[in-house]
Amino acid sequence: MAKVRHESAWYPLEPGETVLDGLLRQGVQVPHACRAGACQSCLMRATSGAVPEAAQVGLKDTLKARGYFLACACRPREGTALEVAGAAELRVPARVVDLESLSGDVLAVRLEVEAPLDYRAGQYVTVVRADGLARSYSLASLPREGRLELHVRLVPGGAMSGWFARDVRPGERMHLQGPAGDCFYVPGQPEAPLLLAGTGTGLAPLYGIVRDALEAGHTGPIHLFHGALEPRGLYLVDALRALASRHPNLHYRPLVLSGGGGDVEEGPLEARILASLPKRPVGWRAFLCGNPEAVLSLRKKLFLTGFSLKDIHADAFLPSTPRAGPVAGAA
Amino acid sequence: MASVYERIGGEPAMAAAVEVFYRKVLGDDRINHFFEDVDMERQAAKQKAFLTMVCGGPSNYSGKDMRAGHKHLVARGLNAMHFDAVVGHLKETLEELGVPAELVGQVMAVAEGARADVLNR
Ligand code: FES
């Protein structure tokens, strides 16, 4: 049996159980969302004992060196003892300053942080509510803008999005953890063609990335595809059209599966993107965000057409997954 | 004598080869279902480790790891036909990158030697 010590109490783990599951099962609050090692909202720090390598995959070296690990990916070996602490010291307090509805199901949440957050446009942060509920959201803002902007999709029955939509007013406080993610623009090769594609609120990081690239003086063609099921799933359409009219190298292509017409194309996103590429897309860079199936499928297709893996930056939005089995007091 | 790995250009050559090789593998409907649902970067890293090993470069692959690493695929039906397909893509990749026939032959021999472990025979 492995055991974990958290705030002066020891908790036994069942064979093969993760630290996250073991602690939650025994009533310890640990922020978490994806349970797949991707969102980093379940970060904890090992104060003594060793964590398996798999629990630190994807973490920055500075975090690894300080003993941070992902509780949802940490299965300590049988017979080991691990002492852990939460990641409170990595969190910064933030305050909601403004809420704006961008479409029927997307809410812009603007935040002010008390300590400056050092991030790149396109990265994401984890919002941690006072009771420990955590969700990750991409940043649509640019660092120089001061305020952070998140695009929150209103998920039916969603705990965090429902709270934002119903209860949160300007002034509400929460904590942010992060930033994380490596889907961002890196200056250099300003003439390289860029492909940006996203579905739904996958537009949020792309909105940051496209403006970041333009401000950095990117001169190569930038193709921005935003896909939705229907026209009302699109948002920021006017802002992006205005941006494209100021920057002739920006080609904004809103696309829907049904109900298109006028300036909105109709058809499947992936086929449209592939059809728009040259035969040999040499030197292209791609940024893909949103729905995981769409992102992963497109990434594979782009690789097969000749994109180098290092030139494809993908951020698949994993849904938050509740713990399997009955959970006492879950809501 | 220098290993095949060194003679064909070491790590940079492997980095170039792995994308060509992986693209062939993913584009082959006979075998690509074994490579689905996995993180592409991790997958590419594994392929690179494999290429490095068959070329005689620094690697920590052992026969035991090869067995353990393919066990679940054998359970899903991995057989000699699939193995041949992968080895065929490897050969084509090396040839496309201009590796001399004699060295390609040496790599093929190493790959052949891994057959029993990969197929858990
Ligand atoms: S990384 Fe552990 S819950 Fe997302």
Side-chain angles (χ1 to χ4, degrees), chain B residues 62-72 116-118 120-121:
Chain B
S62 72
K64 195 165 143 258
D65 296 332
M66 294 291 262
R67 280 186 176 267
H70 291 89
K71 208 171 177 160
H72 65 294
D117 284 327
V118 168
N120 275 250
R121 289 213 176 122

Side-chain angles (χ1 to χ4, degrees), chain A residues 253-267:
Chain A
R253 311 244 325 242
L255 188 83
V256 291
L257 267 184
S258 67
D263 289 341
V264 175
E265 294 174 58
E266 185 177 298

Side-chain angles (χ1 to χ4, degrees), chain A residues 299-300 303 307-309, chain B residues 19 22-23 36 40-41 44:
Chain A
R299 172 159 80 159
K300 188 187 282 183
F303 176 64
F307 276 70
S308 182
L309 269 186
Chain B
E19 291 220 343
Y22 188 22
R23 217 169 262 135
E36 252 144 38
M40 285 183 75
E41 265 140 51

Side-chain angles (χ1 to χ4, degrees), chain A residues 20 32-42 70-72:
Chain A
L20 178 65
H32 62 277
C34 75
R35 314 174 79 96
C39 72
Q40 303 193 357
S41 47
C42 65
L70 300 174
C72 72

Side-chain angles (χ1 to χ4, degrees), chain A residues 57 182 296 299-300 302-310 312, chain B residues 18-19 22-23 26-27 35-42 44:
Chain A
V57 169
D182 43 23
L296 298 179
R299 172 159 80 159
K300 188 187 282 183
L302 292 180
F303 176 64
L304 289 173
T305 64
F307 276 70
S308 182
L309 269 186
K310 68 168 175 19
I312 308 175
Chain B
V18 70
E19 291 220 343
Y22 188 22
R23 217 169 262 135
L26 276 187
F35 298 87
E36 252 144 38
D37 304 324
V38 279
D39 184 301
M40 285 183 75
E41 265 140 51
R42 220 176 300 169

Side-chain angles (χ1 to χ4, degrees), chain A residues 207-221:
Chain A
Y207 187 57
I209 293 167
V210 72
R211 293 181 302 141
D212 192 24
L214 290 169
E215 289 190 7
H218 198 89
T219 55

